[in-house]
Amino acid sequence: MLRTRFTETFGITHPVLCGGLTAVGTADLIAAVADAGALGFLTALTQPTPDALAKEIARCREMTDRPFGVNLTLLPTLKPVPYAEYRAAIIDSGIEVVETAGSNPVEHVAAFNAAGVKVIHKAVSVRHALKAEQLGVDAISIDGFECAGHPGKDDVPGLILIPAAVRRLRVPVIASGGFATGSGLVAALALGASAINMGTRFVASDEAPVHQKVKDQIVRNSELDTQLVFREFNNTARVARNAISEEIVARSARPGATFDDIAELASGARGRSRVLTEGNMEDGLWWAGQAQGLIDSVKSCREIVEDIVAEAEQLIGAQLPGLMAAIAR
């Protein structure tokens, strides 16, 4: 069994996380992740109201007796989000660990700390990670350029970003972006991280609440089948490459283009209904990282976690000592 600073601090069996996944991080998936000995996070804003979140937390507790957390992503929106009410629902429900992401979490970290809730903040740069550490978070999930979702402006891949963060931070570091295998876990540990965070790998699981065509597409896709969108609007995002993402890139490149020119195509509701629910793979944006190129099958969450940990233990216990012996000769 791999024991790390993260597993010891957060009481988790394996150093593997499933962070917040918009429209996917429901009890159906997160309970299965928890039962596999990893740490999963319900996605707060996937629930339409704070009361609905409280009910989803209760539903997850009915499905597992293992630890799980809640993700609270802080992003500018056209319609104001009652973040304080979502935060209260998390605290009142007795959640012990929260993953924050997006904007500065200062207000939320203070409230969670006061309630005895551990906070993991997801950052895409060392400078943002250091600021979060100063605010009092308990761990940092550092998101490399390979990730699905929003990789930030700096375009630094994990091989550089992870050890750069570890050098500067005192709290445990979770490696995020591009992880789907046991060898990736070993690499992350070698770079100084205490755990890995996976998103795309868990979407291609039996329990993920998305259409089977989405899971099968991830398996078919290679590391080349993602696309960066919204760069012109200072909100870079990595999504699966399809007809809609190609059209968004084309429209965004036109002189004088504004977000209004792509808003209909980029709608999150469109992606959720047409792709994730109905399986129309070319008819909306959906999140996927470059780790697609490492995923060759759809498995249960338990199989995913156990296979990754077994591969990592085999590499650490057998292949690496053999390599050192060969070098010594």
Side-chain angles (χ1 to χ4, degrees):
M1 184 179 297
L2 296 175
R3 305 301 295 170
T4 71
R5 187 179 173 196
F6 181 84
T7 62
E8 296 291 343
T9 300
F10 290 85
I12 303 301
T13 304
H14 301 303
V16 177
L17 288 78
C18 174
L21 296 170
T22 301
V24 183
T26 66
D28 310 271
L29 174 63
I30 301 310
V33 170
D35 281 344
L39 180 60
F41 292 85
L42 295 173
T43 308
L45 300 188
T46 290
Q47 303 303 319
T49 66
D51 183 61
L53 173 60
K55 292 177 180 177
E56 189 70 3
I57 292 171
R59 186 167 79 95
C60 198
R61 285 211 173 100
E62 291 174 354
M63 299 172 69
T64 182
D65 59 0
R66 305 294 294 274
F68 65 90
V70 175
N71 163 277
L72 188 63
T73 296
L74 313 168
L75 293 173
T77 58
L78 295 176
K79 181 180 179 181
V81 174
Y83 281 112
E85 294 177 30
Y86 276 100
R87 185 180 69 224
I90 293 168
I91 293 172
D92 292 345
S93 295
I95 290 295
E96 297 182 354
V97 57
V98 167
E99 178 191 60
T100 57
S103 303
N104 189 324
V106 55
E107 172 187 352
H108 305 287
V109 172
F112 286 131
N113 283 348
V117 180
K118 291 186 174 69
V119 179
I120 300 168
H121 184 67
K122 181 178 285 188
V124 295
S125 70
V126 175
R127 62 186 181 279
H128 293 154
L130 287 168
K131 178 62 177 178
E133 183 180 61
Q134 292 171 6
L135 297 178
V137 304
D138 299 276
I140 291 290
S141 181
I142 197 78
D143 222 356
F145 185 56
E146 305 92 335
C147 70
H150 298 278
K153 304 176 182 179
D154 299 336
D155 298 357
V156 180
L159 191 62
I160 304 299
L161 188 59
I162 295 163
V166 169
R167 280 186 178 186
R168 304 284 302 279
L169 295 166
R170 297 183 302 277
V171 297
V173 172
I174 300 145
S176 182
F179 293 97
T181 64
S183 59
L185 172 55
V186 173
L189 297 176
L191 293 173
S194 295
I196 58 170
N197 173 54
M198 304 189 302
T200 304
R201 172 65 271 197
F202 281 120
V203 178
S205 70
D206 293 334
E207 296 89 350
V210 301
H211 199 284
Q212 185 64 37
K213 287 184 178 179
V214 177
K215 305 173 188 184
D216 294 341
Q217 187 67 53
I218 291 172
V219 171
R220 284 195 298 271
N221 281 353
S222 78
E223 67 278 6
L224 302 177
D225 292 310
T226 70
Q227 191 147 38
L228 297 175
V229 296
F230 311 153
R231 301 218 90 175
E232 295 83 354
F233 313 117
N234 200 33
N235 189 30
T236 299
R238 187 182 298 282
V239 300
R241 185 183 298 273
N242 65 5
I244 291 295
S245 70
E246 296 278 11
E247 179 62 20
I248 286 174
V249 169
R251 291 190 189 184
S252 301
R254 295 171 184 168
T258 68
F259 192 80
D260 287 342
D261 297 316
I262 62 169
E264 178 187 0
L265 299 178
S267 165
R270 175 178 181 149
R272 288 190 293 273
S273 64
R274 301 190 186 185
V275 178
L276 299 185
T277 300
E278 299 172 9
N280 298 317
M281 302 310 299
E282 297 296 321
D283 206 16
L285 283 188
W286 57 287
W287 306 108
Q290 292 179 322
Q292 289 181 118
L294 304 175
I295 299 168
D296 58 11
S297 61
V298 177
K299 300 179 180 179
S300 70
C301 289
R302 183 175 296 278
E303 288 176 310
I304 289 170
V305 173
E306 290 181 351
D307 287 354
I308 285 173
V309 172
E311 181 189 356
E313 291 176 339
Q314 195 274 333
L315 284 169
I316 293 170
Q319 291 194 28
L320 294 184
L323 175 62
M324 292 305 298
I327 292 173
R329 291 198 296 271

